[in-house]
């Protein structure tokens, strides 16, 4: 969720949904059928190539199984297609990690096995926030939300991460959230059941004012540079990252992970 604070420009509601649609099309996903803009023709020639914004929002709500409480809060349903898809990815990740961690123990590698996870829409679900702000992210609205509200865990991810930690994997969280949001982020992770160390050695946030020396790009890092550079730093500390998890492809690119797992997120796109 996700973001100058999460490494995205504070785009308008229309721009953010439009970017999501274009990203899906560039990836080759035929979401809306014939007449859609393509990777070769990304600038629409007519309105017929542009999905209707309201219909896109309705599809997102249906995918997440939008549930509205008596006080008007929106939540994703654990019976939604989103939840079903996430559980399928988690099942594959558990199978892979079970083998990878066992193999790691047998080979006697000196490097300790580790997993690295993004926070927004990888370990914590931003759906309620996104609906509250009408899919219009701003740093101010995110600060206000995180200061007083705990996001739910992405369905099943708390169980998967706790299981991996119990099996011997060191767990690192790597997010584009700004350093000023550390206390809120750690509180949220603890409160919803992530039961591993959440100190500064294990939770990495973006510090534009005082960027770490291991990032040559400093305060100007792209998301890929920041995240891949931090993963390389983690490995330099004596860890082998057996798996990296993220909801954006930019969370995962740049190497320094044996395998990557992409968590679905149609609400926004971050290059």
């Amino acid at each position: 969720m996700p973001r100058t604070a999460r490494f995205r420009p504070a785009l308008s509601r229309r721009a953010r949904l439009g970017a999501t649609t274009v990203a899906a099309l560039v990836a080759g996903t035929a979401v809306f059928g014939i007449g859609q803009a393509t990777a070769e023709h990304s600038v629409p020639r007519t309105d017929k190539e542009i999905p209707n914004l309201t219909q896109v929002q309705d599809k997102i709500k249906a995918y997440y199984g939008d549930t509205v409480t008596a006080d008007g809060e929106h939540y994703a349903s654990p019976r939604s297609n989103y939840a079903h898809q996430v559980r399928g990815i988690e099942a594959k990740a558990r199978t892979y990690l079970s083998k990878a961690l066992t193999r790691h123990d047998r080979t006697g590698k000196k490097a300790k096995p580790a997993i690295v996870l993004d926070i927004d829409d990888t370990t914590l679900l931003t759906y309620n926030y996104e609906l509250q702000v009408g899919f219009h992210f701003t740093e101010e609205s995110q600060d206000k939300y995180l200061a007083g509200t705990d996001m739910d865990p992405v369905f099943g991810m708390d169980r998967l991460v706790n299981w991996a930690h119990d099996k011997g994997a060191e767990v690192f969280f790597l997010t584009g959230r700004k350093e000023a949001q550390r206390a809120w982020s750690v509180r949220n992770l603890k409160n919803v059941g992530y039961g591993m160390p959440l100190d500064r050695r294990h939770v990495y946030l973006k510090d534009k004012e005082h960027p770490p020396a291991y990032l040559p790009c400093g305060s100007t890092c792209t998301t890929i540079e920041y995240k891949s550079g931090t993963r390389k730093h983690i490995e330099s500390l004596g860890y082998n990252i057996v798996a990296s998890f993220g909801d954006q492809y930019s969370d995962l690119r740049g190497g320094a992970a044996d395998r990557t797992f992409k968590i679905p997120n149609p609400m926004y796109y971050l290059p």
Side-chain angles (χ1 to χ4, degrees):
M1 326 189 8
R3 294 177 191 177
T4 44
R6 296 179 299 177
F7 280 86
R8 67 178 175 194
L11 299 177
S12 70
R13 180 180 182 181
R14 290 178 182 271
R16 291 181 63 212
L17 287 172
T20 301
T21 302
V22 171
L25 292 164
V26 169
T29 304
V31 181
F32 295 98
I34 298 173
Q36 196 65 276
T38 66
E40 294 75 22
H41 174 216
S42 59
V43 178
R45 292 180 180 140
T46 73
D47 65 305
K48 294 181 176 63
E49 295 181 359
I50 305 172
N52 181 276
L53 182 61
T54 300
Q55 291 179 340
V56 172
Q57 292 176 334
D58 289 344
K59 285 178 180 289
I60 290 173
K61 291 178 182 179
Y63 171 62
Y64 281 91
D66 188 54
T67 303
V68 185
T69 64
D71 57 359
E73 294 292 315
H74 291 257
Y75 292 94
S77 169
R79 295 180 294 278
S80 64
N81 288 339
Y82 166 76
H84 177 75
Q85 185 178 359
V86 168
R87 289 188 184 109
I89 296 167
E90 290 165 353
K92 292 178 181 178
R94 184 181 286 250
T95 298
Y96 162 75
L97 286 171
S98 181
K99 295 177 181 178
L101 294 174
T102 299
R103 184 167 57 249
H104 195 282
D105 290 340
R106 288 175 179 170
T107 58
K109 288 183 179 180
K110 291 184 179 180
K112 183 179 174 67
I115 61 174
V116 174
L117 307 104
D118 174 51
I119 291 183
D120 289 313
D121 293 298
T122 300
T123 49
L124 299 177
L125 184 58
T126 73
Y127 182 77
N128 176 257
Y129 163 80
E130 293 289 352
L131 269 290
Q132 191 175 109
V133 300
F135 298 103
H136 183 188
F137 170 87
T138 65
E139 286 194 32
E140 293 74 20
S141 66
Q142 190 193 47
D143 282 348
K144 182 178 179 181
Y145 190 92
L146 295 179
T149 307
D150 283 336
M151 295 175 177
D152 291 334
V154 169
F155 297 113
M157 282 301 291
D158 51 338
R159 293 188 295 275
L160 175 65
V161 176
N162 285 326
W163 169 84
H165 182 254
D166 291 342
K167 291 293 183 180
E170 199 78 4
V171 177
F172 296 92
F173 295 90
L174 172 55
T175 175
R177 290 184 181 185
K178 59 190 178 184
E179 178 62 34
Q181 296 172 330
R182 175 177 295 277
W184 304 331
S185 302
V186 169
R187 180 210 69 216
N188 195 161
L189 290 167
K190 285 182 178 178
N191 285 351
V192 299
Y194 288 95
M196 61 285 308
L198 297 171
D199 54 24
R200 288 181 177 271
R201 284 188 60 248
H202 294 86
V203 182
Y204 290 84
L205 292 92
K206 176 67 174 178
D207 191 344
K208 278 190 166 184
E209 288 70 31
H210 305 286
Y214 58 77
L215 292 177
C217 47
S219 61
T220 65
C221 289
T222 64
T223 303
I224 294 174
E225 289 172 335
Y226 162 61
K227 296 214 167 184
S228 65
T230 304
R231 289 195 302 272
K232 291 171 184 174
H233 167 70
I234 291 171
E235 289 199 322
S236 76
L237 299 177
Y239 296 96
N240 171 39
I241 299 174
V242 295
S244 177
F245 295 78
D247 65 289
Q248 304 290 317
Y249 289 109
S250 54
D251 292 331
L252 306 172
R253 290 176 176 148
D258 294 347
R259 182 164 173 178
T260 61
F261 291 90
K262 171 70 169 60
I263 306 301
N265 179 7
M267 292 187 291
Y268 49 84
Y269 169 74
L270 298 177

